[in-house]
Amino acid sequence: MADDPVLEHELEALLEREWFDVPEEFRERALISDLSEHERAAHDPVGWWEEQASALDWFEPWQHALEDEDAPFYRWFAGGRLNVSHNCLDRHVQAGLGERVAFHWHGEEGEQRRITYAQLLADVQRCANALKARGIGPGDVVGIYLPMIPEVVVAMLACARIGAPHNVVFGGFSAESVHERMAFSNASCLITSDGGRRKGRTVAVKAEVDRTMDDLTHLETILVVRHTGVDCPMRDGRDLWWDEALAAADPECPAESLDSEHPLFILYSSGSTAKPKGIQHTTGGYLTGVTWTFRNVFDLRADEDVFWCTADVGWITGHSYIVYGALANAATSVMFEGAPDYPHKGIWWELCERYGVTILYTAPTAIRTCMKWGVEHVRGFDRSALRLLGTVGEPINPKAWAWYWHVVGEGRCPVVDTWWQTETAQIMITTLPGAQRMKPGAAGTPLPGIAAKVVDGEGREVQRDVQGLLTLRQPWPGMLRGLYREPDRYLSGYWERFGAPNYFVGDAAREDRDGYFWVIGRVDDVINVSGHRMSTAEVESAIVSHPKVAEAAVIGQSDEDTGQAICAFVTLRGELDGDDSLTDEIREHVGQRIGKLARPRRVIWTGDLPKTRSGKIMRRLLKDIAEGRQLGDVTTLRDPGVVHEIAASMGDEDE
Ligand code: WTA
């Protein structure tokens, strides 16, 4: 990009602007073009959310909108009964929208599949019956480990239809991570594929999975989607082919009437210890939260728009905005199997042209990567259908914001920077695109029905413009309902710090004089790599499980491309010396244990690690060293010499 002085100059000029106005043509047609919803909701947040919930189809009405007697174990729309798959499918088909495209699926090698709402409903019913035929019913956990293919959506909705909570594992995680998640959640079934494709290569998925699953006696069924045709071992009595099971199943499966608080899914996410947290979401509140936010943050006109969220279904972004929020609103979406640079670096923009994408939702790290590749890949394709852009996952630096606005959106499309978490399930802080001006770098204001504040360590509100801890001050319908089988961890992780209803987010933030929130980053031991949450403790424990390693400490180091990059300080056993081949071995080992995305970018060999007298590793100091900052207080260290040694050896390395 540095080679393009004209563009560079244009971006510089944009960076001088604090505010960007909503483009007039956008405002004129926007669903919401003023702050009246914010105001109405502020008056009576629970009543306002009830109004949004009533836009869904309920089999039986709720008695209480919000029950908080057991706070922080909140219940939304208690007594009400509904079904998520009915709301995402049957309701639309009954309204005559059966022929509307739910997904334009685009495969890695350019294959295309068009899946209508009617087809999705038919497949979901068969899949639901196939699961039932294996004895799976309400409350039984079903694991899903699939690539970005339409079957992943069918599987999720089939689970929702029969009340079996799903536990989706991101396809980029290793088989060992799948094993761990299946064990923690006691899954009785796993839905996976024979193989997966990645940039022209084929990998054997089922064979890998088999390597780790044998000891799980509760896992009685593995349903296998034929995707790549690679060799695939099948075990009699346990393993079934997806296509055969669906063909044999009854085509009709009525949607189960489920309690509003019936568990919809568990999604494992990184916390500050090595064990991932099983974040639990339920039915009525979740669907209310994602349906309203999808429609209004993306200003959806369901009969015209083509929405594309580039996330993987295995993350919360995929759950809420590829699957549930999109389908509940009868939207048409693009689903793409592949990587952004295969078969070429302009593939995303080619897809925008081909499918006439009007709303694009992606992550800042992807935008930075596209910036690096150069504007020619973007400008080679027609993006005139685009009218709204969104980002999620990490703070967006103003330069990437300006590039997104100027190059991708041609100065015509509002950009919504959406802050939220796996725990919140729904977008919480952003700008409503037809109603609120944008400020690059700031996410925006809390959405209607959401209350956020920045507080100090004791929970006292800080002044505007002062950095502190982000908290959410009142329950919202999509909020997590707990951590799977770990109620104490739920209490201590989110509620003990400030006391319910004040939810501890784990992010540092600042609210500016205009009430816009600038989210800075995590305050716990969670690293954000390309918008993906990784736990330092989890990576450390994977490194330490390598036979040559004695100890390890992992930190997130600022990185221009990925936001943060994983940097590991490693002490070897005995007299071993570290070298490049051992670095590769350790990276590979972590890839096997967790997944490729957890492999450290940098491995630094150290004779010892800085520890307090009680033996706690001081990551803060390692971070100072890695970022080349003045070292903080070292007086509490058992051996202050250690940090100087590490700093000196890193100086050598950089030379
Ligand atoms: C970070 C992803 C700044 C934040 C939906 C949060 C953001 C964590 C933004 C949640 C944003 C997400 N601006 N930071 N717009 N969006 N984050 O659970 O640190 O994978 O706590 O959910 O990502 O990550 P998670």
Side-chain angles (χ1 to χ4, degrees):
M1 199 182 69
D3 311 335
D4 190 338
V6 178
L7 175 63
E8 200 60 37
H9 187 75
E10 290 164 346
L11 294 179
E12 303 264 289
L14 289 172
L15 286 170
E16 278 167 22
R17 285 164 58 183
E18 183 186 18
W19 290 104
F20 285 71
D21 288 328
V22 178
E24 208 38 57
E25 320 82 84
F26 191 95
R27 180 192 296 277
E28 276 166 15
R29 290 196 66 196
L31 293 179
I32 297 180
S33 54
D34 57 31
L35 295 179
S36 53
E37 288 303 306
H38 288 85
E39 283 154 20
R40 281 198 324 115
H43 256 250
D44 174 15
V46 176
W48 185 85
W49 279 119
E50 276 194 282
E51 199 183 304
Q52 312 321 321
S54 57
L56 301 174
D57 248 8
W58 293 77
F59 297 143
E60 281 171 47
W62 60 87
Q63 275 102 47
H64 301 283
L66 172 64
E67 276 183 5
D68 56 6
E69 292 79 22
D70 260 344
F73 295 94
Y74 293 98
R75 293 163 55 82
W76 280 89
F77 312 119
R81 299 187 80 83
L82 75 166
N83 183 286
V84 166
S85 93
H86 167 89
N87 273 280
C88 289
L89 302 172
D90 309 54
R91 176 165 72 124
H92 306 319
V93 173
Q94 285 158 15
L97 302 176
E99 291 315 305
R100 179 175 292 175
V101 175
F103 291 101
H104 291 288
W105 180 79
H106 197 93
E108 254 207 9
E109 301 303 332
E111 309 91 324
Q112 295 178 38
R113 281 165 70 183
R114 233 169 133 263
I115 296 128
T116 63
Y117 275 87
Q119 283 163 353
L120 204 49
L121 175 58
D123 286 352
V124 165
Q125 296 194 71
R126 282 186 183 272
C127 181
N129 279 330
L131 293 173
K132 275 189 182 170
R134 296 290 297 182
I136 295 156
D140 295 329
V141 175
V142 174
I144 299 178
Y145 181 52
L146 285 171
M148 285 290 282
I149 52 178
E151 285 78 3
V152 73
V153 181
V154 174
M156 290 165 80
L157 290 168
C159 289
R161 197 162 189 89
I162 62 174
H166 55 69
N167 174 6
V168 181
V169 183
F170 166 55
F173 277 126
S174 66
E176 277 170 51
S177 288
V178 182
H179 173 268
E180 179 183 63
R181 285 157 168 78
M182 294 306 110
F184 290 160
S185 66
N186 246 322
S188 50
C189 171
L190 173 66
I191 306 180
T192 188
S193 62
D194 56 353
R197 308 195 288 188
R198 200 69 185 161
K199 301 199 200 185
R201 285 186 308 120
T202 301
V203 288
V205 174
K206 170 67 165 48
E208 255 309 278
V209 163
D210 271 8
R211 209 171 45 74
T212 63
M213 292 299 160
D214 272 352
D215 63 322
L216 297 184
T217 49
H218 48 80
L219 191 75
E220 291 168 354
T221 301
I222 301 189
L223 201 54
V224 187
V225 177
R226 258 186 254 267
H227 179 48
T228 62
V230 321
D231 262 357
C232 174
M234 296 293 276
R235 191 208 281 176
D236 249 8
R238 186 194 64 181
D239 303 349
L240 293 172
W241 287 107
W242 165 281
D243 48 323
E244 291 170 10
L246 264 63
D250 197 280
E252 258 170 64
C253 176
E256 198 83 36
S257 167
L258 299 167
D259 190 276
S260 175
E261 283 297 345
H262 188 82
L264 178 64
F265 65 86
I266 308 168
L267 185 56
Y268 280 86
S269 182
S270 298
S272 37
T273 66
K275 187 176 179 216
K277 307 196 256 202
I279 295 168
Q280 281 182 298
H281 287 290
T282 62
T283 300
Y286 173 80
L287 197 62
T288 301
V290 300
T291 306
W292 191 88
T293 50
F294 185 97
R295 183 171 136 84
N296 295 290
V297 174
F298 300 127
D299 185 56
L300 181 75
R301 285 193 289 268
D303 53 345
E304 295 174 20
D305 278 316
V306 177
F307 174 80
W308 183 18
C309 165
T310 66
D312 189 281
V313 172
W315 305 107
I316 191 67
T317 306
H319 282 56
S320 295
Y321 297 111
I322 295 177
V323 183
Y324 295 116
L327 295 174
N329 281 294
T332 295
S333 300
V334 169
M335 183 178 195
F336 178 44
E337 179 190 21
D341 57 349
Y342 184 85
H344 60 85
K345 293 192 168 94
I347 183 68
W348 277 18
W349 317 108
E350 182 186 329
L351 296 184
C352 284
E353 175 179 308
R354 178 183 301 256
Y355 298 106
V357 173
T358 58
I359 307 164
L360 179 68
Y361 192 36
T362 191
T365 188
I367 298 168
R368 288 192 297 267
T369 305
C370 292
M371 280 170 76
K372 222 167 55 179
W373 288 342
V375 285
E376 62 278 15
H377 298 290
V378 186
R379 289 190 173 149
F381 296 95
D382 177 13
R383 284 153 291 111
S384 57
L386 279 176
R387 63 182 197 90
L388 177 63
L389 304 172
T391 74
V392 58
E394 48 177 328
I396 181 162
N397 48 310
K399 181 116 184 224
W401 194 101
W403 190 91
Y404 199 29
W405 159 273
H406 181 64
V407 176
V408 177
E410 297 168 324
R412 177 184 73 237
C413 311
V415 175
V416 288
D417 173 357
T418 64
W419 176 87
W420 55 295
Q421 310 178 292
T422 307
E423 290 86 344
T424 70
Q426 56 181 91
I427 298 169
M428 303 293 279
I429 299 179
T430 187
T431 46
L432 283 180
Q436 292 173 284
R437 294 192 288 166
M438 298 153 270
K439 223 188 238 201
T445 69
L447 280 172
I450 303 300
K453 279 285 166 242
V454 177
V455 300
D456 65 15
E458 272 70 58
R460 288 181 302 247
E461 223 173 285
V462 299
Q463 304 266 314
R464 292 278 171 109
D465 277 330
V466 174
Q467 183 175 325
L469 301 169
L470 183 61
T471 59
L472 300 167
R473 307 296 282 260
Q474 76 201 10
W476 62 101
M479 67 195 303
L480 79 166
R481 298 301 197 271
L483 296 179
Y484 190 70
R485 298 204 171 152
E486 294 185 297
D488 293 341
R489 197 173 176 199
Y490 171 66
L491 294 173
S492 63
Y494 303 104
W495 304 100
E496 262 164 21
R497 180 101 190 229
F498 301 131
N502 299 299
Y503 166 88
F504 176 71
V505 164
D507 281 355
R510 167 167 68 79
E511 180 181 354
D512 70 15
R513 57 196 179 282
D514 303 305
Y516 275 49
F517 284 72
W518 299 71
V519 178
I520 290 139
R522 305 285 310 182
V523 294
D524 51 11
D525 293 321
V526 172
I527 313 181
N528 191 328
V529 184
S530 303
H532 300 322
R533 263 164 78 165
M534 302 295 333
S535 137
T536 51
E538 200 178 345
V539 180
E540 283 165 6
S541 105
I543 298 176
V544 170
S545 72
H546 187 285
K548 292 182 187 154
V549 172
E551 251 188 333
V554 162
I555 57 152
Q557 188 178 5
S558 310
D559 184 277
E560 242 180 54
D561 299 328
T562 57
Q564 287 189 304
I566 298 177
C567 173
F569 294 81
V570 177
T571 309
L572 294 171
R573 280 183 194 277
E575 299 299 301
L576 287 170
D577 274 330
D579 57 20
D580 288 352
S581 85
L582 192 51
T583 298
D584 292 343
E585 222 178 276
I586 287 175
R587 294 184 72 239
E588 213 29 59
H589 182 74
V590 175
Q592 280 280 330
R593 297 291 296 236
I594 305 176
K596 286 202 168 113
L597 71 170
R599 290 180 307 188
R601 165 81 58 87
R602 250 175 124 185
V603 173
I604 294 156
W605 311 113
T606 64
D608 201 355
L609 290 167
K611 290 190 196 127
T612 60
R613 285 185 195 92
S614 59
K616 202 168 165 278
I617 295 172
M618 291 193 70
R619 292 198 190 79
R620 178 175 58 75
L621 292 174
L622 293 171
K623 236 180 131 101
D624 288 344
I625 297 175
E627 314 241 312
R629 276 196 300 262
Q630 188 82 32
L631 288 182
D633 183 11
V634 296
T635 52
T636 54
L637 285 182
R638 194 165 55 197
D639 175 6
V642 171
V643 283
H644 298 295
E645 262 167 50
I646 302 176
S649 73
M650 285 193 57
D652 297 345
E653 184 198 24
D654 290 341
E655 272 160 22

